[in-house]
């Protein structure tokens, strides 16, 4: 355990129009994206909002589930409940803190994040949860891996941004 501030990494999948979700679900399927997500989050504490926690099919093995909520009475088995960004960072006690959503949680953590891991999806679907593209004033692209559309999967890119 460490008292040092963890590296804060935001992980998200985002369509060209900024949509990250629709009615609590992701409106596309990218083969291999869940394996990538698992590899990037395994062994890290994950911070999420209550709706994201509720949308998980189950507790994800090998990862802590820190849930940031305004509801002081909310609790769930397997969830470590916090009520502020500062509290989430303080209890992480790990070298890396993975922030996994939703949109409001991303907006709260973006000012203190060190890295963005984005799957940029070549679609413009309808959706009720959106995130703006990273601001070039605050973020610089450090890595990119592009994939062409194949079968039912749209074109997409894995992007890594570091704080500028």
């Amino acid at each position: 355990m460490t008292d040092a501030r963890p590296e804060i990494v935001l992980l998200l999948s985002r369509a060209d129009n900024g949509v990250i979700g629709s009615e609590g679900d992701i409106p596309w399927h990218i083969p291999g994206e869940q394996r990538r997500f698992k590899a990037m989050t395994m062994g890290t504490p994950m911070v999420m909002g209550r709706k994201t926690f509720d949308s998980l099919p189950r507790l994800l093995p090998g990862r802590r589930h820190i849930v940031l909520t305004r509801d002081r009475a909310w609790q769930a088995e397997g969830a470590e409940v916090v009520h502020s960004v500062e509290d989430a960072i303080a209890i992480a006690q790990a070298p890396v803190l993975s922030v996994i959503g939703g949109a409001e949680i991303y907006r709260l953590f973006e000012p203190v994040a060190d890295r963005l891991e984005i799957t940029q999806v070549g679609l413009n679907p309808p959706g009720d949860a959106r995130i703006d593209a990273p601001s070039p004033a605050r973020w610089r692209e450090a890595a990119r891996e592009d994939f062409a559309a194949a079968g039912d999967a749209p074109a997409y890119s894995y992007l890594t941004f570091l704080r500028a």
Side-chain angles (χ1 to χ4, degrees):
M1 300 294 171
T2 177
D3 290 330
R5 179 188 173 281
E7 177 188 24
I8 298 171
V9 181
L10 276 57
L11 297 105
L12 62 126
S13 189
R14 179 187 180 280
D16 287 343
N17 64 354
V19 166
I20 64 166
S22 180
E23 298 180 4
D25 203 3
I26 299 170
W28 53 79
H29 173 71
I30 306 287
E33 188 177 28
Q34 288 181 336
R35 277 190 306 277
R36 182 174 187 266
F37 174 84
K38 180 179 180 179
M40 294 181 109
T41 60
M42 186 55 71
T44 72
M46 300 181 306
V47 175
M48 66 202 82
R50 182 196 48 78
K51 290 179 194 171
T52 297
F53 180 83
D54 288 343
S55 77
L56 297 175
R58 64 191 178 296
L59 291 175
L60 303 179
R63 292 155 278 189
R64 289 169 50 208
H65 297 66
I66 300 172
V67 180
L68 176 55
T69 178
R70 287 187 285 277
D71 183 346
R72 298 277 173 181
W74 186 86
Q75 56 186 347
E77 187 173 336
E80 298 175 57
V81 181
V82 296
H83 304 291
S84 71
V85 168
E86 297 77 18
D87 288 347
I89 293 169
I91 72 163
Q93 295 292 305
V96 176
L97 178 61
S98 299
V99 179
I100 66 165
E104 187 175 348
I105 302 303
Y106 289 134
R107 282 190 276 280
L108 289 171
F109 275 88
E110 191 272 344
V112 296
D114 301 296
R115 180 167 43 108
L116 309 177
E117 292 291 347
I118 299 176
T119 302
Q120 185 66 45
V121 182
L123 293 174
N124 291 294
D128 53 15
R130 295 177 184 275
I131 289 291
D132 292 334
S135 162
R138 289 197 300 264
W139 297 99
R140 65 175 175 80
E141 187 176 310
R144 169 187 286 266
E145 192 175 357
D146 297 319
F147 300 88
D152 292 337
Y156 63 98
S157 299
Y158 290 143
L159 306 173
T160 299
F161 289 88
L162 299 176
R163 184 151 304 274

